[in-house]
Amino acid sequence: MFSWVSKDARRKKEPELFQTVAEGLRQLYAQKLLPLEEHYRFHEFHSPALEDADFDNKPMVLLVGQYSTGKTTFIRHLIEQDFPGMRIGPEPTTDSFIAVMHGPTEGVVPGNALVVDPRRPFRKLNAFGNAFLNRFMCAQLPNPVLDSISIIDTPGILSGEKQRISRGYDFAAVLEWFAERVDRIILLFDAHKLDISDEFSEVIKALKNHEDKIRVVLNKADQIETQQLMRVYGALMWSLGKIINTPEVVRVYIGSFWSHPLLIPDNRKLFEAEEQDLFKDIQSLPRNAALRKLNDLIKRARLAKVHAYIISSLKKEMPNVFGKESKKKELVSNLGEIYQKIEREHQISPGDFPSLRKMQELLQTQDFSKFQALKPKLLDTVDDMLANDIARLMVIVRQEESLMPAQAVKGGAFDGTMNGPFGHGYGEGAGEGIDDVEWVVGKDKPTYDEIFYTLSPVNGKITGANAKKEMVKSKLPNTVLGKIWKLADVDRDGLLDDEEFALANHLIKVKLEGHELPADLPPHLIPPSKRRHE
């Protein structure tokens, strides 16, 4: 009784012990989740134990795609620098997994050295053997982009006859290992090669349960005409819909991700907008990294709980002396019924269970007599972690997020569109005329003045009711027109003079052309007569 009280009191002090999210996750995993995993041999079935480097490493981006879809060129485009071991060509050139990471000097660290380095999050890749480690390396170099993220380049996925040649290691399993640990998975497709080979299909299925991390890039889109591009985009979505079995549509970014001139520049604005969206998504990774690690730990804890119920159920059904082998075969073949029984007894969602086929394959080689019976104390500890400790840790997550800039990744291609006239949308919409000496609204003011003087101005100003009669002709919603009124009424007197009325009409035009309204009126749009009072 007294030990329970002291333990509960100690648990209440835990928030003071966690200085950072990484430290909190590390302690919770080691003290509460790892004992459950070890007791029920979780690591033999699902995923190796997590290490300190898994909690401390920078956000990672995994690039996956068939050969010659532009994966290595995409990395070169992001960091604007060649990296050691880089090879680019139309044939399958990248035959290795290359972790592109920050380092004080340029160099290559081979796979066998990487998996014994405790500072790197790759130690558990040792399980895939020499055939894989000989095809794994780390390219390190000083680069500002790599200060914030690391990028994993993968071998081109093979198609046709090439995919029948064994790689010597389980390619899909390696990608699944990376998928569990990375923050973003980018699937690259070539606009000219949309066929999804058997190996690529297998890879995408291996990424199941990580759909929230997946983004799709339709690369080399500048090489086809607009009409063809629409057809290619539709075909891609149809193909993905057959493989990624989720009701949500996966996000697809269309563009040409390299620094060469566009071959067909018709869709330049679309490509710029898509690239900007993708860059923002990548730039948000450091800010959301702690939340991603927390989310992955929760997913792991839920799977570990289900695994414990499965193993203990199998142990319970096994005879003590005779007929063990025949009973084992029976249990493996009826594993689906055991899943349903656990689901009913413990109110567990079907989505939390591991793949039935994969679990049956793994159980074939296991000695059921070594399985452990159900130990409620271990499960209660994990439940307590999920119910209490994770909620406390969320507070620190929000604190860390608030201290980080929204766009934490700097340098390389990310700087090219940040500021200046080549930033996305510069000089368009509400930004039109930003560098002009003359007031941009002035060129259309004579037209607006004609309307203004038909609205019965008094002392050079019209009322809101009169302005409304004209503004509603735009057919914009009242919420939008209300915002335009607020922006145009610069002197806040509830009336519009001729300049303010012209400004309101200019903002209506901006909105009708499909641009967003600014939150505050930009300095270049302030009417000239009002600038003297600023």
Side-chain angles (χ1 to χ4, degrees), residues 479-510:
T479 50
V480 176
L481 292 174
K483 184 174 182 180
I484 289 172
W485 170 273
K486 188 177 177 183
L487 290 169
D489 185 15
V490 179
D491 54 14
R492 302 286 184 268
D493 64 353
L495 303 167
L496 296 184
D497 62 20
D498 60 328
E499 287 184 331
E500 290 173 326
F501 180 74
L503 174 60
N505 279 279
H506 178 76
L507 292 172
I508 286 172
K509 186 179 81 166
V510 165

Side-chain angles (χ1 to χ4, degrees), residues 12 43 55 77 98 116 118 130 156 207 214 221 232 240 252 272 302 329 343 348 360 383 398 445 502:
K12 288 179 180 177
H43 309 134
F55 299 104
H77 178 59
I98 304 177
V116 295
N130 271 332
L207 302 178
I214 294 176
V232 165
L240 288 172
V252 177
E272 287 175 356
R302 291 168 71 95
K329 289 179 182 176
E343 189 184 323
I348 295 172
Q360 285 173 323
D383 284 336
R398 296 304 178 200
K445 189 171 181 294

Side-chain angles (χ1 to χ4, degrees), residues 26 29 49-56 117-118 120 123-124:
R26 193 185 303 113
Y29 177 71
L50 299 177
E51 299 194 328
D52 287 354
D54 290 310
F55 299 104
D56 297 325
D117 186 349
R120 307 279 192 190
R123 280 161 58 102
K124 298 298 181 181

Side-chain angles (χ1 to χ4, degrees), residues 18 20-30 55 289-295 297 385 390 393 397:
F18 299 157
T20 65
V21 176
E23 180 193 346
L25 290 172
R26 193 185 303 113
Q27 285 189 32
L28 288 178
Y29 177 71
F55 299 104
L291 190 60
R292 193 275 303 168
K293 288 171 185 170
L294 183 68
N295 185 52
L297 189 73
M385 178 189 85
I390 295 294
L393 212 50
V397 168

Side-chain angles (χ1 to χ4, degrees), residues 424-467:
H424 177 63
Y426 188 92
E428 299 173 9
E432 183 186 352
I434 190 170
D435 295 325
D436 294 352
V437 177
E438 299 294 327
W439 188 39
V440 69
V441 184
K443 62 186 179 185
D444 295 320
K445 189 171 181 294
T447 306
Y448 301 142
D449 283 349
E450 288 180 17
I451 303 169
F452 178 79
Y453 288 110
T454 65
L455 298 174
S456 309
V458 177
N459 297 325
K461 296 193 176 186
I462 58 172
T463 63
N466 285 344

Side-chain angles (χ1 to χ4, degrees), residues 393-432:
L393 212 50
M394 275 299 296
V395 178
I396 309 177
V397 168
R398 296 304 178 200
Q399 289 172 353
E400 287 191 5
E401 280 184 354
S402 65
L403 296 173
M404 288 194 72
Q407 297 177 333
V409 183
K410 307 286 185 186
F414 297 99
D415 282 354
T417 57
M418 290 284 283
N419 302 303
F422 294 98
H424 177 63
Y426 188 92
E428 299 173 9
E432 183 186 352

